[in-house]
Amino acid sequence: QVQLVESGGGLVQPGGSLRLSCVASGLIFSRYTMNWYRQAPGKQRELVAVITTGRVTNYADSVKGRFTISRDNIRNTVFLQMNSLKPEDTSVYYCNAIATSEDYWGQGTQVTVSS
């Protein structure tokens, strides 16, 4: 069965960095667009970053210039490098894999930005 497992979250001070990873199994990874979403308490889930099968990337305005999404199709892994973190980046971050009629989610990893 398909599994997406996120890691790399934690507590970081404002201005700090974290690198999230999401390892996929049970699917042909290179055929999926990979997304990172986040959801803060009481807020709707927000699309943060996208990387297509052709490695085209797109970002939410709130993270442009600070976050970088990348993928490794050999290790079936998508990354989210997060720099210059702000308290408003505090959320649970979710990995998502999508293809025609298929949509898979990880369990999420908590990122807390606080001094």
Side-chain angles (χ1 to χ4, degrees), residues 74-85:
I74 302 299
R75 292 193 286 167
N76 287 0
T77 304
V78 61
F79 303 97
L80 186 67
Q81 178 66 44
M82 305 187 295
N83 299 328
S84 302
L85 283 161

Side-chain angles (χ1 to χ4, degrees), residues 36-103:
W36 283 99
Y37 283 80
R38 66 186 181 186
Q39 187 167 22
K43 294 190 176 181
Q44 288 191 328
R45 191 168 290 191
E46 173 190 21
L47 179 60
V48 175
V50 178
I51 186 164
T52 69
T53 55
R55 300 180 187 270
V56 175
T57 59
N58 201 6
Y59 299 91
D61 287 342
S62 58
V63 307
K64 277 181 183 175
R66 300 188 297 122
F67 289 12
T68 302
I69 189 171
S70 61
R71 65 190 297 159
D72 183 337
N73 288 345
I74 302 299
R75 292 193 286 167
N76 287 0
T77 304
V78 61
F79 303 97
L80 186 67
Q81 178 66 44
M82 305 187 295
N83 299 328
S84 302
L85 283 161
K86 305 175 181 180
E88 51 264 43
D89 294 318
T90 296
S91 285
V92 178
Y93 283 73
Y94 297 91
C95 175
N96 168 241
I98 59 170
T100 305
S101 73
E102 296 180 68
D103 188 1

